[in-house]
């Protein structure tokens, strides 16, 4: 419940303050979101070689799709598709 509440409060604050922030700061916040996800992913990749393979597969699929589709669509397809593949090959005990 706390995570849900925090997400909503953060979204509301983002909506309120996005018009006040300079454009350079707004663009920088987009990059920080990617950095946050990388920060969550890297420690788990150190624990599981299978996760490392799924991340590598996701990068390759994204690169291939990016040759034919828009970057946002290729990211969505590669992430969700390879996440489904990862669900079949990675168990919870691999990540602990």
């Amino acid at each position: 419940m706390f995570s849900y509440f925090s997400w909503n409060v953060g979204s509301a604050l983002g909506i309120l303050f996005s018009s006040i922030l300079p454009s350079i700061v707004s663009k920088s916040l987009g990059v920080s979101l990617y950095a946050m996800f990388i920060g969550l992913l890297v420690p788990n990749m150190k624990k599981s070689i299978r996760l490392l393979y799924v991340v590598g597969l996701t990068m390759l699929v994204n690169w291939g799709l990016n040759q034919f589709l828009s970057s946002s669509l290729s990211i969505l397809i590669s992430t969700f598709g390879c996440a489904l593949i990862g669900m079949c090959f990675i168990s919870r005990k691999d990540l602990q």
Side-chain angles (χ1 to χ4, degrees):
M1 188 69 165
F2 181 75
S3 297
Y4 178 74
F5 177 74
S6 300
W7 184 273
N8 285 315
V9 169
S11 296
L13 290 174
I15 291 168
L16 291 173
F17 290 114
S18 65
S19 61
I20 298 171
L21 294 173
S23 65
I24 188 79
V25 174
S26 296
K27 292 177 184 176
S28 300
L29 290 175
V31 173
S32 67
L33 185 63
Y34 294 119
M36 179 191 68
F37 284 118
I38 290 170
L40 291 170
L41 186 63
V42 168
N44 288 316
M45 284 185 349
K46 290 180 180 179
K47 296 177 188 175
S48 172
I49 192 74
R50 290 180 182 179
L51 180 61
L52 181 62
Y53 289 147
V54 171
V55 170
L57 176 65
T58 306
M59 289 176 8
L60 287 172
V61 169
N62 183 42
W63 176 82
L65 289 175
N66 204 18
Q67 306 303 313
F68 306 103
L69 302 172
S70 68
S71 62
S72 57
L73 188 58
S74 66
I75 288 173
L76 283 173
I77 294 171
S78 63
T79 301
F80 286 122
C82 292
L84 288 172
I85 292 169
M87 286 174 44
C88 297
F89 293 107
I90 299 174
S91 65
R92 285 198 178 269
K93 67 179 179 177
D94 287 335
L95 298 175
Q96 293 178 351

